[in-house]
Amino acid sequence: QKNKILVVALSQLNRGDPKQMPSLDRLRESGIRVTVPRRIIFQYLIDNKTHPTCDRIYNDLKDTNSSLSLATVYNVTEKLVQENLLNVFVAPDGEHHYDSITEFHGHLYCEQCMAIFDFKSKPDKIPDILKGAVIRSVSYMAVGHCPECAKKRK
């Protein structure tokens, strides 16, 4: 498949206990109202570490969830981001991508296969200009070629 999605195995990321909780428990713990669309979409994002867009989420779920609309996917992902249950970032493809891993980590965007890989990263010292600021999210994106595509280029 042209747009084959590759991801780093989750075992390579530092997964805290809250991330091991089932989606229903995580939604309940957050205090938001648990609805069927929220649970379905959140579980999809926990299970699929491909950093999907709303269009991808909708296309993957619509056949098994006929009442799901694209607008619902946008609304649910926005709410889950507001509740810090998801991260969202804009990749070089210009699309918003969603990630259920909320602890700090980086992403590698491969310009050839368009896959997005997770990698461990620690935030460095906070710059003086940010001291006292309230930071909602930080995005750390590397752009280039994944190891597999880099081999093909040689």
Side-chain angles (χ1 to χ4, degrees):
Q1 181 184 22
K2 181 181 175 188
N3 293 330
K4 183 179 176 187
I5 306 289
L6 302 172
V7 295
V8 174
L10 287 178
S11 61
Q12 295 177 351
L13 291 173
N14 181 16
R15 306 282 289 162
D17 286 341
K19 303 300 173 237
Q20 299 299 327
M21 295 170 57
S23 62
L24 180 59
D25 293 339
R26 287 180 62 196
L27 287 169
R28 285 181 178 150
E29 187 176 89
S30 74
I32 65 172
R33 194 173 62 127
V34 177
T35 64
V36 172
R38 287 177 181 171
R39 185 171 181 191
I40 290 169
I41 292 166
F42 190 44
Q43 188 63 56
Y44 171 88
L45 286 159
I46 289 170
D47 294 342
N48 295 282
K49 302 300 179 188
T50 57
H51 308 92
T53 63
C54 284
D55 286 337
R56 168 62 61 198
I57 296 166
Y58 173 70
N59 286 323
D60 286 353
L61 294 176
K62 69 180 179 182
D63 290 338
T64 55
N65 300 279
S66 60
S67 64
L68 192 67
S69 70
L70 183 56
T72 298
V73 173
Y74 276 99
N75 291 335
V76 167
T77 52
E78 182 179 327
K79 180 65 173 173
L80 296 176
V81 167
Q82 289 172 354
E83 297 297 326
N84 296 314
L85 291 167
L86 294 179
N87 280 333
V88 61
F89 60 91
V90 179
D93 62 7
E95 298 280 345
H96 287 82
H97 293 263
Y98 295 88
D99 192 349
S100 65
I101 301 171
T102 55
E103 54 271 333
F104 188 83
H105 66 285
H107 295 105
L108 166 63
Y109 177 84
C110 180
E111 295 173 305
Q112 187 166 337
C113 68
M114 296 179 283
I116 300 172
F117 299 86
D118 290 316
F119 62 89
K120 276 186 175 182
S121 182
K122 293 181 181 178
D124 290 329
K125 181 182 163 193
I126 296 174
D128 288 340
I129 195 166
L130 296 179
K131 288 187 178 164
V134 177
I135 307 299
R136 189 181 55 77
S137 73
V138 174
S139 180
Y140 182 32
M141 175 76 64
V143 179
H145 292 88
C146 68
E148 188 176 319
C149 290
K151 284 181 199 176
K152 293 176 187 175
R153 292 176 53 96
K154 290 184 179 183

